[in-house]
């Protein structure tokens, strides 16, 4: 029994030593760029990492979101407007990050963007409905990652893609689940390729938090709009009872 207890204590000590050796130290001056910081997880991450001493660059979709975030963080936190569906907006954000890092490179890129609606039966959708989600939650995130890779390689940094685990289940039609599966595949490929440059790539499959990103009223509003634009033939094939349920 004594040997078992001593072995357990020794194992814990070894675990703590290994864990502490992996801890990131000297946080001051390490730049982290986070997308989707107006509300929700991105907003919370920006505040948390700012308090820990990272040099946070927070991308917000609105100027109001940027002002509100800056008002409750340190002066070292910087914000930049970013529309992930707009390549010119992405290019401007990349220039801003390049200037802020001042030759040091980018220690971390945390991608957190949620294009959610419309979510509906596939037959109710048009190709532009898929674009409205995929252009933000998949293609936009891929584009900004590609453009920031030189800075990440310079700092031997890391890419962390936050992926809602609910999106990995095909529970409804539309671009939401497609974007999550797509980011998984993109991350897995990038992880293998970036090992050569010392850049780590991780995915964090988080739970479904009601943090301002999803609004049931908005979802219902989109459903009603899609239902009303259907042809009479398609509407009749589903029936009013299907729509209500």
């Amino acid at each position: 029994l004594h040997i078992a207890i001593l072995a357990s204590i020794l194992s814990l000590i070894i675990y703590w030593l290994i864990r502490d050796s992996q801890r990131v130290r000297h946080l001051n001056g390490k730049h982290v760029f986070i997308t989707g910081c107006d509300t929700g997880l991105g907003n919370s991450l920006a505040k948390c990492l700012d308090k820990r001493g990272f040099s946070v660059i927070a991308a917000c979709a609105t100027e109001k979101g940027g002002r509100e975030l800056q008002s409750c963080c340190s002066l070292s936190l910087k914000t930049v407007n970013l529309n992930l569906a707009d390549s010119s907006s992405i290019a401007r954000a990349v220039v801003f990050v390049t200037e802020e890092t001042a030759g040091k490179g980018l220690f971390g890129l945390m991608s957190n963007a949620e294009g959610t609606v419309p979510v509906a039966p596939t037959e109710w959708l048009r190709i532009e409905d898929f674009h409205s989600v995929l252009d933000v939650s998949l293609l936009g995130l891929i584009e900004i990652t590609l453009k920031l890779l030189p800075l990440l390689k310079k700092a031997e940094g890391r890419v962390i893609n936050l992926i809602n685990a609910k999106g990995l289940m095909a529970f409804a039609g539309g671009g939401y689940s497609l974007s999550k599966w797509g980011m998984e595949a993109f991350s897995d490929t990038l992880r293998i390729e970036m090992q050569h440059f010392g850049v780590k790539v991780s995915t964090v499959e988080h739970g479904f938090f009601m943090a301002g990103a999803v609004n049931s009223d908005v979802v219902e509003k989109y459903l009603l709009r899609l239902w009303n634009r259907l042809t009479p033939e398609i509407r009749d094939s589903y029936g009013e009872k299907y729509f209500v349920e």
Side-chain angles (χ1 to χ4, degrees), residues 109-163:
L109 167 61
M110 305 187 75
S111 293
N112 168 61
E114 290 274 290
T116 55
V117 290
V119 176
T122 302
E123 192 179 12
W124 298 13
L125 301 170
R126 299 171 182 170
I127 192 63
E128 56 265 28
D129 297 319
F130 286 89
H131 275 294
S132 67
V133 178
L134 295 175
D135 286 352
V136 173
S137 294
L138 180 59
L139 298 178
L141 290 180
I142 290 175
E143 182 175 356
I144 198 161
T145 302
L146 294 176
K147 291 187 175 179
L148 289 173
L149 281 180
L151 294 179
L152 289 160
K153 288 162 65 178
K154 187 167 189 175
E156 294 191 354
R158 65 279 318 276
V159 178
I160 302 173
N161 291 321
L162 303 175
I163 300 174

Side-chain angles (χ1 to χ4, degrees), residues 88-212:
S88 60
S89 177
I90 290 174
R92 288 192 294 271
V94 170
V95 170
F96 183 84
V97 173
T98 303
E99 292 174 349
E100 286 294 321
T101 55
K104 298 178 182 178
L106 185 61
F107 180 74
L109 167 61
M110 305 187 75
S111 293
N112 168 61
E114 290 274 290
T116 55
V117 290
V119 176
T122 302
E123 192 179 12
W124 298 13
L125 301 170
R126 299 171 182 170
I127 192 63
E128 56 265 28
D129 297 319
F130 286 89
H131 275 294
S132 67
V133 178
L134 295 175
D135 286 352
V136 173
S137 294
L138 180 59
L139 298 178
L141 290 180
I142 290 175
E143 182 175 356
I144 198 161
T145 302
L146 294 176
K147 291 187 175 179
L148 289 173
L149 281 180
L151 294 179
L152 289 160
K153 288 162 65 178
K154 187 167 189 175
E156 294 191 354
R158 65 279 318 276
V159 178
I160 302 173
N161 291 321
L162 303 175
I163 300 174
N164 193 322
K166 189 163 186 171
L168 300 180
M169 299 178 289
F171 66 95
Y176 187 73
S177 294
L178 291 176
S179 68
K180 304 311 170 190
W181 283 95
M183 283 306 294
E184 288 277 353
F186 174 72
S187 301
D188 287 344
T189 304
L190 192 66
R191 181 183 302 116
I192 296 169
E193 296 168 348
M194 287 294 109
Q195 285 180 350
H196 176 72
F197 301 100
V199 175
K200 299 179 177 67
V201 180
S202 305
T203 55
V204 177
E205 297 172 353
H206 60 82
F208 193 65
F209 298 104
M210 295 302 291

Side-chain angles (χ1 to χ4, degrees), residues 44-57:
S44 298
L45 278 170
K47 294 174 182 175
C48 177
L49 296 185
D50 176 63
K51 287 180 180 178
R52 292 194 62 187
F54 284 99
S55 297
V56 176
I57 306 172

Side-chain angles (χ1 to χ4, degrees), residues 63-110:
E63 292 184 2
K64 178 184 176 184
R67 288 195 302 270
E68 290 178 351
L69 181 59
Q70 282 182 313
S71 68
C72 55
C73 292
S74 73
L75 294 177
S76 67
L77 180 138
K78 308 295 182 182
T79 62
V80 60
N81 287 352
L82 176 62
N83 176 5
L84 284 168
D86 182 0
S87 292
S88 60
S89 177
I90 290 174
R92 288 192 294 271
V94 170
V95 170
F96 183 84
V97 173
T98 303
E99 292 174 349
E100 286 294 321
T101 55
K104 298 178 182 178
L106 185 61
F107 180 74
L109 167 61
M110 305 187 75

Side-chain angles (χ1 to χ4, degrees), residues 197-230:
F197 301 100
V199 175
K200 299 179 177 67
V201 180
S202 305
T203 55
V204 177
E205 297 172 353
H206 60 82
F208 193 65
F209 298 104
M210 295 302 291
V214 178
N215 186 316
S216 60
D217 292 336
V218 173
V219 174
E220 288 185 15
K221 182 180 177 182
Y222 265 91
L223 277 174
L224 180 60
R225 183 188 304 174
L226 295 174
W227 175 257
N228 288 333
R229 83 177 185 190
L230 292 176

